[in-house]
Amino acid sequence: MDNHTVLRDFIYHWSDFPGLSISRHGLCSFKADIEYRYLGHLVTETTQVTIPRTGMEDGQVNLSESGILNYDDFHLGFSPTRQTYRMDGQKRLVVSGFSKKWGGEYEVLITPAAN
C-alpha cells in the first residue's frame, strides 16, 4: 500500500477522535503519543502532529519539538518519498526509515492522544 493511501486510511480511521482536526485547506493536526524506536532505544513523548493533505507538502508527517524530542537529536519531519508509512494492528501510524545521523533504522509510532 502506498504512503498516501496509508495516511488517508489513518486519518479516516481517527477522524471522529476528539482533538483531531482537518482544516478546509486539508491540514490535519492533532496531539499524539509518540513512540520513537531507534538503535535499541525507546523514547516516548506527547507532541503535536501535522499532516498536510494538499499542495507540495502533501503526505509529509511533522512532529513538533516537545520534551526530549528536538530537531538536533531526532528526525521530526517525514516525507512519503523518503520514509515508509503503514498502520499497525492498533491503527497507529508507523513511520520507518534509515537514519544517516544514527547509522541505523528507526520507527516512529503515532497514536492520537486525548486532549
Side-chain angles (χ1 to χ4, degrees), residues 3-43:
N3 288 343
H4 290 281
T5 302
V6 170
L7 285 180
R8 183 196 67 214
D9 292 350
F10 173 79
I11 292 168
Y12 178 78
H13 174 79
W14 291 99
S15 62
D16 291 333
F17 191 81
L20 187 141
S21 65
I22 303 171
S23 75
R24 63 187 179 104
H25 300 292
L27 180 65
C28 177
S29 62
F30 55 96
K31 186 169 84 171
D33 293 325
I34 306 297
E35 289 183 26
Y36 213 117
R37 301 174 181 177
Y38 65 101
L39 301 178
H41 300 281
L42 172 63
V43 171

Side-chain angles (χ1 to χ4, degrees), residues 90-109:
Q90 297 175 34
K91 301 299 184 186
R92 297 179 293 189
L93 177 62
V94 181
V95 177
S96 58
F98 182 87
S99 171
K100 290 181 183 178
K101 182 186 294 192
W102 299 320
E105 295 179 352
Y106 62 88
E107 254 188 359
V108 182
L109 288 77

Side-chain angles (χ1 to χ4, degrees), residues 70-99:
N70 64 73
Y71 288 107
D72 292 332
D73 298 323
F74 293 89
H75 299 284
L76 301 180
F78 308 104
S79 166
T81 59
R82 292 190 308 264
Q83 281 82 29
T84 301
Y85 303 162
R86 66 179 176 84
M87 274 199 309
D88 68 7
Q90 297 175 34
K91 301 299 184 186
R92 297 179 293 189
L93 177 62
V94 181
V95 177
S96 58
F98 182 87
S99 171

